[in-house]
Amino acid sequence: MSGGVYAQNSPQKSHASKESQAQQVYLSFNYSGIVNTVITALYYQDSVYLPISAIFKELRVNREIDPVSKTIKGFYINPDNTYEINFISGIASIGKKEVKFDTSQVIAGELDFYILPLLFEKIFDLNFTVDFSSLNLVLNTNQELPIVRDYQRNMRRGYLVKSPQANLIQAPLEFPRERHLLNGGVVDYSLSAFNGANQTAYNYSLTGGAEILGGDAQGSILGSLSRNYSNLYSSDLSWRYVFDSTNYITRAGLGNLYSNGLTQYGFRGAQISNEPVAIRTIFGRYAIDAKTEPNWDVELYLNGLLVGYAKADASGNAHFTIPLVYGTSFIQLKYYGPTGEFRETDRRLQIPFTFVPAGQINYTVSGGKLNNTDYNFLSGNVIVGLTDWITDKAGADYVNSPFYSKPLFYNSLFLRFGPEYMLSLDAAPSAFYRSTFNALYASQASFDLMFARYYRNLLYNPSGKQQEAQADVYLPFSIFNSGFNLRVAGNAQQYTSGQKSYSYSVYTSSSVAQFNTSIGYLGSALDYGNGSIQRNYGLTASILYSLFFRPGALSFLNGTLINTTLRYGVLKNSLDDIRLELSQNVQRYVRVTVSGERDFVNKLTTFSLQIIANFPFTRSTTSAQVQQGGGWYTENLTGSVGFDANHGRFLFNDLGWVGHSAASMRMFVDTVGSGKYQKGDEIIKDGVITLRQAVSSETSQSGIIREWNLLPYTQYSADIDINSIRNPLWIPKEKSFSFVTDPNSYKRIDIPFYVGGIVDGTVLRVQDGSESAVPGLNLEIRSLNSNFEKTLTVFNDGSFYYMGLPPGKYE
């Protein structure tokens, strides 16, 4: 409120006081564009006294007033930063700081305490000034006050996706799967050269992929060349056809394949299945009940993203439902009180890919000859989602082996207990029985336990195990605000020959400042069953240090890693090995590592150099090693070459490509309205398209956006950033769309834009021959040949205006 001083005498009390003598002054308080209110201050003896509780209420600072003991207390910004002001003793404390003040400079009202602006600054570092010319209260501070945090949270909530599944819901399918007799083409390569020990050798591997006869085909050629030897052979030739319109069979394959029965076999033959070709993402839905104080705000974060917001009811309950996705999901619940209170809880959910959604049934049938032995092979299994927490898999494997030539029937049961615990039970009579129990907690602590009982079977138990037990426990903890990890693992095996083997390890690691340290103890024992036991114990330790210098002559060394590792033999009471390694990034793509190692057991010293260059078009690894008496050198190049048949371009990459997919996207102005790109159409080179899944992307100078490292036969959704288009009259036919990828090829995606029109005018009322503007009406525009609708608000002068109207007829 401004424009003059508004003051009045306070009500008279039975006794004289400062409050009765002071005048009320109404000050406009605007802070950071968030707070906009009027504060009632007191004016007494040429000084302005500000109400601490009223101001803290506007700033959302936690506070509790006790009018009897004349104190105000709470926490300031953070719950661990408590404060208390005693207006009788004149002592204020905040955190570890104590401030003494003159109690005569305080006015105690019935509902609040009024203090000078100087006291705000001394205690809370809040600099208040009063501008009497405009009756404004101004606040300056470098601190992030709770009201600012609340505003930022509300802004995040404004961008909150209405449903946690929104990123998983597909946009309208505009570019479906297209089949070709021959399409695409990509080659992954690995080329290496070795020179050392008076020998030079070259090895190469080429793996190619393409779409052939509507399916994806791939295979490899491997070879080696040296002075006295060379060979060349093919490997892993396969072809797969994916069915789109039926759930009874989703894919069929021929060639070199892999089974998914009790044991994974590589075989040459055929396979059919109705398992989804695209990787499953959604398993189901999961209800979350949050318990807090009444009317508190509750935010739900899924893997670091805000996906839900609710206000607790009168009983302090808030409810959410989120999609249950495969893999591990990290859930955070953040609770915010009305006066700055805050707390949070964490949960962790895991859904292994072995689980099938309730009610779904999948099968796989495989048959052929095993790659290594030429034994006839046949396998079949069915996996059923019985409930959201029980999945069962039953099947049979048959191998025409001289060791065991009967069908082996098996059953695997997978169970979930709450969000943390998993149990799997495998029963394969004549082979083994096995149980595995594991847990993963929100703190990232975990454990895995396994026990198995084996039977004599040279095919499925060639090593002759009788029973086996394993345990692995991981525990993170902190000491003096520094993070530590402890991992304990053990394994015990018993064989039909009477032998027993044991091994165990204990590791602890920490990260303090620029140091990462690790120390471990390993032990093993082999009991031969005749009284002879072989034991081995050792210590390992490593220290990794990251160099950091302030800007100056040595700042170029920032990021250099120095790693020292050693092994110590406990039984021999001697140092076995020590190694020192230095690693540094050189420019953008190159990392150089040099190391020296001394093997005291074999009395051998080794010096090594490795240069890794991760260029966008290839990956180069150069290694050299020198020991007493000689050394060797290797060079390896890996990468891929893909052909974009849509635009006639060969494209190079440092990542493997075969078995994946890609897309070439092009936005253009459709001048003739055909919906297809034609020569002469203007290409939009500055537009941005974002896929809802994380992928690799690159935009060429010609305006073509290429997305690669996509999964084949998978639907992806994309959104066009309208703000990135330089011409506001260019409007895309669809702002969001989806496409289904084609295997081993670049999918062509041309996105037409039309030139939008402008509609404007004035709404007039004609009465008795005179015209007058009609403000405030809603003007509805409807297309006669599309679904476009728009409601416009008529301005005060009766005019209306809209830019970006699609071509067509309207009413």
Side-chain angles (χ1 to χ4, degrees), residues 408-485:
L408 180 71
F409 297 93
Y410 62 90
N411 191 87
S412 297
L413 190 65
F414 308 97
L415 302 97
R416 291 193 307 121
F417 302 95
E420 295 95 1
Y421 301 100
M422 298 286 173
L423 174 65
S424 65
L425 302 171
D426 298 310
S430 302
F432 62 83
Y433 291 90
R434 179 176 57 201
S435 63
T436 303
F437 184 53
N438 62 71
L440 177 63
Y441 299 97
S443 63
Q444 298 189 27
S446 65
F447 69 79
D448 292 271
L449 305 174
M450 188 278 288
F451 178 79
R453 175 75 179 180
Y454 299 90
Y455 294 88
R456 290 179 180 270
N457 190 317
L458 291 179
L459 178 62
Y460 294 97
N461 183 22
S463 61
K465 291 181 183 178
Q466 191 174 46
Q467 59 186 20
E468 181 179 16
Q470 291 182 2
D472 190 337
V473 178
Y474 174 78
L475 180 65
F477 60 96
S478 61
I479 300 177
F480 303 117
N481 296 323
S482 297
F484 290 82
N485 300 311

Side-chain angles (χ1 to χ4, degrees), residues 250-263:
T250 57
R251 54 186 170 86
L254 296 172
N256 291 88
L257 306 170
Y258 291 91
S259 69
N260 66 341
L262 183 66
T263 302

Side-chain angles (χ1 to χ4, degrees), residues 668-676 678 681 733 752-754 807:
F668 69 97
V669 181
D670 188 4
T671 55
V672 298
S674 65
K676 297 181 179 180
Q678 298 182 8
D681 287 341
K733 180 182 177 182
F753 280 61
Y754 56 80

